[in-house]
């Protein structure tokens, strides 16, 4: 009995050793298990587009499997296949564990990718016009879109749009060429032959012998002579899904329909806000809203000021030239005679103008519907215009500055309630309240005409200026110049005070033109 028990113990030990050996062999020799090494994560659960597709031994294996899955998907289609492919890994460190077979993981990945394929129907085209981008389904649609833009201005259907490779670009980018249909036909029919070369030589000989005769009005072929696009156009191929494409009719409306665009208008001599509003067809309140420099319809504008105006224009500018015949009354350019002894504010008309009449053939340039240039190529005057002749000054006129530093504007120019008995109800200057003894300076250089006491003004100074104007400074406490003295702009001439008919310390200031007072604030720099 003791022998049998000992025998069974030996069998159990042997079986245990066999089992341990089998585990060791499976760990080191079977491919579906990972050997344990204490070096960090050694088994990875793989997720493709958030879907679990298997367990692998390393991230590199997962990336290789994903590439193979994408290759299999792409090889099954003749079109470009667009598919999301986001591989993620969840690693763990294990003593031993089972990884999935390569083929199983790739198959799972392929199934996930097939569900996420973004199919395209055909090769598409992206049209870029300035900052506008439009996606169209075919090259024919691109040509139809651009043709619609020029057809808007080509009532005779004389021009066509062609697409060509842009020679200035390294990549395959198409650009446009607008040519006449006649020219396109001639290019198609053009052949090189000996007779054609001979005919060209004969024509050249006759051209050198026969003098050019002046054209009559009947010799001109009136109408469109050239068309082109005024904006940069680029066309590139792309693979897009159907929902990314723009319907052709919608695209044509986008490109040809007038849109409001901001432009700059430079104020000219004689312009008024109401006149600019009328000429540009922009409501006056809208014009004021567009320009921060304008407060209301009474805001002052000066020659050279720039105002923002809105102009209706299509997204794609079409440039064209037309040969046109017309008859018109015309005026000669004004003839100016410069007078160096006069200021630029002085001028005199020496000869009044009268309009003439003429027949004209001209090349007129347009951008969309706006005429931008005109070149007269033939002219026949019915009767001559007479030019206006104007004598004008060339000297820069003097400027005027505020006669004191600081001060508070206490009374404006114009009608007012008299502040004190004896004061006028129509104020002929402006007042700045300032402490007695403030320095008063000449607003502009000139000659002192009066310096002393003046009725109502108290102590006063009058200065005559070279441009014929006069300035007056009243209610002074002390006069520092005398009549006949020459003073320069900014020179100290008096001290402010409270003399004459006055309600408090201040300086009264006037500017007179042709003997009449004007609002000084309009002339001070």
């Amino acid at each position: 009995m003791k022998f049998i028990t000992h025998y069974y113990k030996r069998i159990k030990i042997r079986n245990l050793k066999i089992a341990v050996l089998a585990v060791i062999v499976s760990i080191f020799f079977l491919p579906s298990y990972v050997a344990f090494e204490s070096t960090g994560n050694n088994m990875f659960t793989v997720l493709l587009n958030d879907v679990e597709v298997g367990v692998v031994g390393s991230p590199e294996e997962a990336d290789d499997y994903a590439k193979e899955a994408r290759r299999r998907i792409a090889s099954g289609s003749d079109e470009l296949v667009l598919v999301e492919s986001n591989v993620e890994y969840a690693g763990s460190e294990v003593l031993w564990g089972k990884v999935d077979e390569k083929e199983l993981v790739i198959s799972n990945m392929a199934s996930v990718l097939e569900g996420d394929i973004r199919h395209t129907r055909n090769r598409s085209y992206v049209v870029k016009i300035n900052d506008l981008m439009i996606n169209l389904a075919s090259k024919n649609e691109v040509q139809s879109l651009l043709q619609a833009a020029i057809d808007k201005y080509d009532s005779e259907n004389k021009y066509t749009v062609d697409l060509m490779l842009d020679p200035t670009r390294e990549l395959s980018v198409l650009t446009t060429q607008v040519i006449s249909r006649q020219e396109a036909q001639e290019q198609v029919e053009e052949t090189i032959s000996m007779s054609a070369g001979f005919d060209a030589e004969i024509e050249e000989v006759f051209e050198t012998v026969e003098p050019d005769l002046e054209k009559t009005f009947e010799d001109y072929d009136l109408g469109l002579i050239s068309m082109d696009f005024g904006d940069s156009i680029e066309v590139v191929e792309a693979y897009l899904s159907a929902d990314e494409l723009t319907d052709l009719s919608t695209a044509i409306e986008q490109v040809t329909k007038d849109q409001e665009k901001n432009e700059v208008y430079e104020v000219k001599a004689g312009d008024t806000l109401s006149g600019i509003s009328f000429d540009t067809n922009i409501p006056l309140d809208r014009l004021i809203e567009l320009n921060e420099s304008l407060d209301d319809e009474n805001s002052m504008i000066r020659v050279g000021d720039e105002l923002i105006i809105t102009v209706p224009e299509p997204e794609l500018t079409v440039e064209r030239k037309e040969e046109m015949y017309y008859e018109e009354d015309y005026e000669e350019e004004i003839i100016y005679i410069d007078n160096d002894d006069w200021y630029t504010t002085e001028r005199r008309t020496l000869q009044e103008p009268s309009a003439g009449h003429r027949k004209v053939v001209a090349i007129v340039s347009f951008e969309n519907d706006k005429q931008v240039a005109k070149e007269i190529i033939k002219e026949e005057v019915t009767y001559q215009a007479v030019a206006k002749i104007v004598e004008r000054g060339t000297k820069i006129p003097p400027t005027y500055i505020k006669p004191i530093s600081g001060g508070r504007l206490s009374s404006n120019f114009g009608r007012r309630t008299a502040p004190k008995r004896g004061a006028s109800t129509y104020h002929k200057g402006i007042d700045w309240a300032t402490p007695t003894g403030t320095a008063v300076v000449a607003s502009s250089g000139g000659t002192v005409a009066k310096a002393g006491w003046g009725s109502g003004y108290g102590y006063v100074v009058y200065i005559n200026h070279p441009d014929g104007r006069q300035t007056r400074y009243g209610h002074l406490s002390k006069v520092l110049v005398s009549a006949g003295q020459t003073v320069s702009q900014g020179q100290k001439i008096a001290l402010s005070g409270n003399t004459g008919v006055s309600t408090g310390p201040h300086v009264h200031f006037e500017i007179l033109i042709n003997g009449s007072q004007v609002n000084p604030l309009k002339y001070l720099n």
Side-chain angles (χ1 to χ4, degrees), residues 26-45:
S26 66
I27 290 174
F28 286 99
F29 296 100
L30 294 181
S32 60
Y33 285 86
V34 175
F36 175 76
E37 294 181 13
S38 185
T39 58
N41 295 335
N42 58 358
M43 192 166 70
F44 298 84
T45 300

PDB file of all heavy atoms in Angstrom, residues 26-45:
ATOM      1  N   SER A  26       4.332  27.199 -24.827  1.00  0.00           N
ATOM      2  CA  SER A  26       3.299  27.991 -25.516  1.00  0.00           C
ATOM      3  C   SER A  26       3.612  29.479 -25.490  1.00  0.00           C
ATOM      4  O   SER A  26       3.327  30.225 -26.434  1.00  0.00           O
ATOM      5  CB  SER A  26       1.925  27.749 -24.875  1.00  0.00           C
ATOM      6  OG  SER A  26       1.898  28.247 -23.548  1.00  0.00           O
ATOM      7  N   ILE A  27       4.217  29.917 -24.369  1.00  0.00           N
ATOM      8  CA  ILE A  27       4.555  31.345 -24.252  1.00  0.00           C
ATOM      9  C   ILE A  27       5.630  31.743 -25.249  1.00  0.00           C
ATOM     10  O   ILE A  27       5.558  32.767 -25.901  1.00  0.00           O
ATOM     11  CB  ILE A  27       4.997  31.678 -22.814  1.00  0.00           C
ATOM     12  CG1 ILE A  27       3.789  31.592 -21.876  1.00  0.00           C
ATOM     13  CG2 ILE A  27       5.621  33.070 -22.738  1.00  0.00           C
ATOM     14  CD1 ILE A  27       4.149  31.750 -20.428  1.00  0.00           C
ATOM     15  N   PHE A  28       6.669  30.892 -25.384  1.00  0.00           N
ATOM     16  CA  PHE A  28       7.827  31.267 -26.205  1.00  0.00           C
ATOM     17  C   PHE A  28       7.712  30.870 -27.665  1.00  0.00           C
ATOM     18  O   PHE A  28       8.424  31.391 -28.504  1.00  0.00           O
ATOM     19  CB  PHE A  28       9.101  30.664 -25.615  1.00  0.00           C
ATOM     20  CG  PHE A  28       9.549  31.377 -24.354  1.00  0.00           C
ATOM     21  CD1 PHE A  28       9.243  30.857 -23.111  1.00  0.00           C
ATOM     22  CD2 PHE A  28      10.244  32.570 -24.449  1.00  0.00           C
ATOM     23  CE1 PHE A  28       9.647  31.512 -21.962  1.00  0.00           C
ATOM     24  CE2 PHE A  28      10.645  33.233 -23.290  1.00  0.00           C
ATOM     25  CZ  PHE A  28      10.345  32.704 -22.038  1.00  0.00           C
ATOM     26  N   PHE A  29       6.841  29.908 -27.990  1.00  0.00           N
ATOM     27  CA  PHE A  29       6.828  29.386 -29.370  1.00  0.00           C
ATOM     28  C   PHE A  29       5.511  29.598 -30.109  1.00  0.00           C
ATOM     29  O   PHE A  29       5.488  29.571 -31.316  1.00  0.00           O
ATOM     30  CB  PHE A  29       7.191  27.890 -29.372  1.00  0.00           C
ATOM     31  CG  PHE A  29       8.602  27.637 -28.889  1.00  0.00           C
ATOM     32  CD1 PHE A  29       8.841  27.215 -27.598  1.00  0.00           C
ATOM     33  CD2 PHE A  29       9.696  27.870 -29.736  1.00  0.00           C
ATOM     34  CE1 PHE A  29      10.130  27.004 -27.152  1.00  0.00           C
ATOM     35  CE2 PHE A  29      10.985  27.654 -29.291  1.00  0.00           C
ATOM     36  CZ  PHE A  29      11.204  27.218 -27.992  1.00  0.00           C
ATOM     37  N   LEU A  30       4.377  29.752 -29.421  1.00  0.00           N
ATOM     38  CA  LEU A  30       3.102  29.943 -30.129  1.00  0.00           C
ATOM     39  C   LEU A  30       2.948  31.409 -30.552  1.00  0.00           C
ATOM     40  O   LEU A  30       3.120  32.313 -29.730  1.00  0.00           O
ATOM     41  CB  LEU A  30       1.929  29.525 -29.239  1.00  0.00           C
ATOM     42  CG  LEU A  30       1.869  28.027 -28.913  1.00  0.00           C
ATOM     43  CD1 LEU A  30       0.649  27.727 -28.054  1.00  0.00           C
ATOM     44  CD2 LEU A  30       1.813  27.205 -30.196  1.00  0.00           C
ATOM     45  N   PRO A  31       2.617  31.749 -31.824  1.00  0.00           N
ATOM     46  CA  PRO A  31       2.590  33.126 -32.341  1.00  0.00           C
ATOM     47  C   PRO A  31       1.456  33.965 -31.784  1.00  0.00           C
ATOM     48  O   PRO A  31       1.510  35.173 -31.841  1.00  0.00           O
ATOM     49  CB  PRO A  31       2.442  32.949 -33.863  1.00  0.00           C
ATOM     50  CG  PRO A  31       1.794  31.613 -34.025  1.00  0.00           C
ATOM     51  CD  PRO A  31       2.324  30.758 -32.908  1.00  0.00           C
ATOM     52  N   SER A  32       0.396  33.380 -31.263  1.00  0.00           N
ATOM     53  CA  SER A  32      -0.758  34.162 -30.822  1.00  0.00           C
ATOM     54  C   SER A  32      -0.624  34.634 -29.392  1.00  0.00           C
ATOM     55  O   SER A  32      -1.528  35.242 -28.844  1.00  0.00           O
ATOM     56  CB  SER A  32      -2.044  33.338 -30.978  1.00  0.00           C
ATOM     57  OG  SER A  32      -1.954  32.163 -30.195  1.00  0.00           O
ATOM     58  N   TYR A  33       0.506  34.390 -28.757  1.00  0.00           N
ATOM     59  CA  TYR A  33       0.706  34.839 -27.378  1.00  0.00           C
ATOM     60  C   TYR A  33       1.907  35.765 -27.320  1.00  0.00           C
ATOM     61  O   TYR A  33       2.833  35.671 -28.120  1.00  0.00           O
ATOM     62  CB  TYR A  33       0.931  33.626 -26.456  1.00  0.00           C
ATOM     63  CG  TYR A  33      -0.361  32.875 -26.184  1.00  0.00           C
ATOM     64  CD1 TYR A  33      -0.805  31.903 -27.061  1.00  0.00           C
ATOM     65  CD2 TYR A  33      -1.112  33.183 -25.059  1.00  0.00           C
ATOM     66  CE1 TYR A  33      -1.982  31.237 -26.838  1.00  0.00           C
ATOM     67  CE2 TYR A  33      -2.297  32.504 -24.817  1.00  0.00           C
ATOM     68  CZ  TYR A  33      -2.736  31.527 -25.704  1.00  0.00           C
ATOM     69  OH  TYR A  33      -3.897  30.879 -25.473  1.00  0.00           O
ATOM     70  N   VAL A  34       1.893  36.678 -26.341  1.00  0.00           N
ATOM     71  CA  VAL A  34       2.948  37.677 -26.184  1.00  0.00           C
ATOM     72  C   VAL A  34       3.811  37.319 -24.987  1.00  0.00           C
ATOM     73  O   VAL A  34       3.282  37.025 -23.905  1.00  0.00           O
ATOM     74  CB  VAL A  34       2.332  39.083 -25.973  1.00  0.00           C
ATOM     75  CG1 VAL A  34       3.416  40.096 -25.699  1.00  0.00           C
ATOM     76  CG2 VAL A  34       1.505  39.475 -27.175  1.00  0.00           C
ATOM     77  N   ALA A  35       5.105  37.357 -25.198  1.00  0.00           N
ATOM     78  CA  ALA A  35       6.026  37.053 -24.093  1.00  0.00           C
ATOM     79  C   ALA A  35       6.055  38.222 -23.122  1.00  0.00           C
ATOM     80  O   ALA A  35       5.986  39.380 -23.528  1.00  0.00           O
ATOM     81  CB  ALA A  35       7.423  36.797 -24.640  1.00  0.00           C
ATOM     82  N   PHE A  36       6.137  37.946 -21.898  1.00  0.00           N
ATOM     83  CA  PHE A  36       6.143  38.988 -20.876  1.00  0.00           C
ATOM     84  C   PHE A  36       7.534  39.590 -20.726  1.00  0.00           C
ATOM     85  O   PHE A  36       8.500  38.876 -20.565  1.00  0.00           O
ATOM     86  CB  PHE A  36       5.669  38.422 -19.533  1.00  0.00           C
ATOM     87  CG  PHE A  36       5.778  39.443 -18.434  1.00  0.00           C
ATOM     88  CD1 PHE A  36       4.857  40.462 -18.348  1.00  0.00           C
ATOM     89  CD2 PHE A  36       6.816  39.395 -17.521  1.00  0.00           C
ATOM     90  CE1 PHE A  36       4.956  41.413 -17.341  1.00  0.00           C
ATOM     91  CE2 PHE A  36       6.915  40.347 -16.512  1.00  0.00           C
ATOM     92  CZ  PHE A  36       5.988  41.355 -16.423  1.00  0.00           C
ATOM     93  N   GLU A  37       7.594  40.881 -20.855  1.00  0.00           N
ATOM     94  CA  GLU A  37       8.810  41.618 -20.549  1.00  0.00           C
ATOM     95  C   GLU A  37       8.377  42.875 -19.804  1.00  0.00           C
ATOM     96  O   GLU A  37       7.488  43.587 -20.250  1.00  0.00           O
ATOM     97  CB  GLU A  37       9.555  42.023 -21.837  1.00  0.00           C
ATOM     98  CG  GLU A  37      10.104  40.842 -22.615  1.00  0.00           C
ATOM     99  CD  GLU A  37      10.837  41.311 -23.863  1.00  0.00           C
ATOM    100  OE1 GLU A  37      11.104  42.526 -23.955  1.00  0.00           O
ATOM    101  OE2 GLU A  37      11.131  40.481 -24.725  1.00  0.00           O
ATOM    102  N   SER A  38       8.978  43.175 -18.730  1.00  0.00           N
ATOM    103  CA  SER A  38       8.572  44.321 -17.911  1.00  0.00           C
ATOM    104  C   SER A  38       9.156  45.600 -18.518  1.00  0.00           C
ATOM    105  O   SER A  38      10.074  46.199 -17.973  1.00  0.00           O
ATOM    106  CB  SER A  38       9.052  44.143 -16.466  1.00  0.00           C
ATOM    107  OG  SER A  38       8.564  45.196 -15.658  1.00  0.00           O
ATOM    108  N   THR A  39       8.641  45.953 -19.718  1.00  0.00           N
ATOM    109  CA  THR A  39       9.126  47.156 -20.422  1.00  0.00           C
ATOM    110  C   THR A  39       7.979  48.109 -20.762  1.00  0.00           C
ATOM    111  O   THR A  39       8.135  48.979 -21.594  1.00  0.00           O
ATOM    112  CB  THR A  39       9.845  46.738 -21.725  1.00  0.00           C
ATOM    113  OG1 THR A  39       8.933  45.979 -22.535  1.00  0.00           O
ATOM    114  CG2 THR A  39      11.077  45.936 -21.419  1.00  0.00           C
ATOM    115  N   GLY A  40       6.844  47.951 -20.156  1.00  0.00           N
ATOM    116  CA  GLY A  40       5.691  48.816 -20.461  1.00  0.00           C
ATOM    117  C   GLY A  40       4.612  48.049 -21.199  1.00  0.00           C
ATOM    118  O   GLY A  40       4.543  46.810 -21.143  1.00  0.00           O
ATOM    119  N   ASN A  41       3.735  48.759 -21.895  1.00  0.00           N
ATOM    120  CA  ASN A  41       2.615  48.130 -22.600  1.00  0.00           C
ATOM    121  C   ASN A  41       3.123  47.169 -23.675  1.00  0.00           C
ATOM    122  O   ASN A  41       3.992  47.520 -24.464  1.00  0.00           O
ATOM    123  CB  ASN A  41       1.734  49.193 -23.245  1.00  0.00           C
ATOM    124  CG  ASN A  41       1.069  50.083 -22.205  1.00  0.00           C
ATOM    125  OD1 ASN A  41       0.883  49.670 -21.065  1.00  0.00           O
ATOM    126  ND2 ASN A  41       0.689  51.284 -22.608  1.00  0.00           N
ATOM    127  N   ASN A  42       2.546  45.974 -23.672  1.00  0.00           N
ATOM    128  CA  ASN A  42       2.967  44.970 -24.654  1.00  0.00           C
ATOM    129  C   ASN A  42       1.797  44.324 -25.381  1.00  0.00           C
ATOM    130  O   ASN A  42       1.981  43.382 -26.141  1.00  0.00           O
ATOM    131  CB  ASN A  42       3.831  43.900 -23.981  1.00  0.00           C
ATOM    132  CG  ASN A  42       3.090  43.210 -22.848  1.00  0.00           C
ATOM    133  OD1 ASN A  42       1.955  43.561 -22.551  1.00  0.00           O
ATOM    134  ND2 ASN A  42       3.734  42.231 -22.225  1.00  0.00           N
ATOM    135  N   MET A  43       0.582  44.843 -25.180  1.00  0.00           N
ATOM    136  CA  MET A  43      -0.590  44.359 -25.914  1.00  0.00           C
ATOM    137  C   MET A  43      -1.546  45.545 -26.070  1.00  0.00           C
ATOM    138  O   MET A  43      -1.752  46.312 -25.131  1.00  0.00           O
ATOM    139  CB  MET A  43      -1.262  43.197 -25.172  1.00  0.00           C
ATOM    140  CG  MET A  43      -2.305  42.482 -26.040  1.00  0.00           C
ATOM    141  SD  MET A  43      -2.799  40.898 -25.341  1.00  0.00           S
ATOM    142  CE  MET A  43      -3.706  41.431 -23.927  1.00  0.00           C
ATOM    143  N   PHE A  44      -2.119  45.711 -27.304  1.00  0.00           N
ATOM    144  CA  PHE A  44      -2.870  46.918 -27.616  1.00  0.00           C
ATOM    145  C   PHE A  44      -4.218  46.583 -28.249  1.00  0.00           C
ATOM    146  O   PHE A  44      -4.294  45.812 -29.219  1.00  0.00           O
ATOM    147  CB  PHE A  44      -2.079  47.803 -28.590  1.00  0.00           C
ATOM    148  CG  PHE A  44      -0.768  48.267 -28.023  1.00  0.00           C
ATOM    149  CD1 PHE A  44       0.369  47.454 -28.083  1.00  0.00           C
ATOM    150  CD2 PHE A  44      -0.664  49.503 -27.412  1.00  0.00           C
ATOM    151  CE1 PHE A  44       1.573  47.888 -27.559  1.00  0.00           C
ATOM    152  CE2 PHE A  44       0.546  49.936 -26.893  1.00  0.00           C
ATOM    153  CZ  PHE A  44       1.665  49.135 -26.952  1.00  0.00           C
ATOM    154  N   THR A  45      -5.256  47.138 -27.663  1.00  0.00           N
ATOM    155  CA  THR A  45      -6.586  47.062 -28.264  1.00  0.00           C
ATOM    156  C   THR A  45      -6.704  48.209 -29.258  1.00  0.00           C
ATOM    157  O   THR A  45      -6.447  49.367 -28.927  1.00  0.00           O
ATOM    158  CB  THR A  45      -7.683  47.186 -27.192  1.00  0.00           C
ATOM    159  OG1 THR A  45      -7.525  46.118 -26.251  1.00  0.00           O
ATOM    160  CG2 THR A  45      -9.064  47.118 -27.825  1.00  0.00           C
TER     161      THR A  45
END
